[in-house]
Amino acid sequence: QEQVVESGGGLVEAGGSLRLSCVASPRSLSIADMAWSRQAPGKEREFVARNNWISGSTNYADDVKGRFTISRDNAKNTVFLDMKSLRPAETAIYYCDAKPLFGRDIWGQGTQVTVSS
């Protein structure tokens, strides 16, 4: 069964840091890219960051550039999102999306990030 599982969410104070992880399975899955998005209460889901598995290129939403870093562990089909200087407005459910080389995109259940003031 193809799936991704996010972890690492939690409660953090404004200005703090958090590292999210996302593992795609099965391990034999060929990944084209993996990405993070988030959805705040009452808001639409928005793109946060993407890592292309083939080229290694990365893309970020404008408001997270310089604060968030996406990275990967190819051997483990894992992508990370290192978040720094977190803001209360960034309280949201953070979702991982794995795009296989073949087949449908895979979305996880999300992990809750709460930034307190």
Side-chain angles (χ1 to χ4, degrees):
Q1 180 177 340
E2 296 180 343
Q3 64 176 14
V4 296
V5 179
E6 303 98 331
S7 62
L11 178 64
V12 63
E13 294 184 351
S17 301
L18 209 58
R19 190 185 208 194
L20 306 182
S21 299
C22 175
V23 181
S25 63
R27 186 65 61 85
S28 60
L29 189 68
S30 296
I31 302 296
D33 66 44
M34 294 182 72
W36 290 95
S37 62
R38 63 190 177 191
Q39 187 167 25
K43 303 293 181 63
E44 294 183 354
R45 186 179 295 189
E46 64 176 350
F47 165 78
V48 175
R50 177 178 294 109
N51 185 302
N52 184 278
W53 237 249
I54 299 171
S55 68
S57 64
T58 58
N59 296 96
Y60 297 92
D62 286 343
D63 63 354
V64 307
K65 290 179 180 177
R67 297 187 299 115
F68 289 15
T69 302
I70 188 168
S71 60
R72 69 189 188 192
D73 184 336
N74 294 37
K76 298 181 179 180
N77 279 7
T78 300
V79 66
F80 306 96
L81 184 67
D82 289 292
M83 305 182 291
K84 299 179 179 179
S85 300
L86 282 162
R87 306 161 180 170
E90 293 176 314
T91 292
I93 300 174
Y94 284 69
Y95 295 94
C96 177
D97 171 26
K99 299 182 182 295
L101 202 62
F102 309 101
R104 298 172 58 186
D105 291 0
I106 308 165
W107 291 90
Q109 294 290 98
T111 185
Q112 176 71 47
V113 173
T114 302
V115 185
S116 67
S117 59

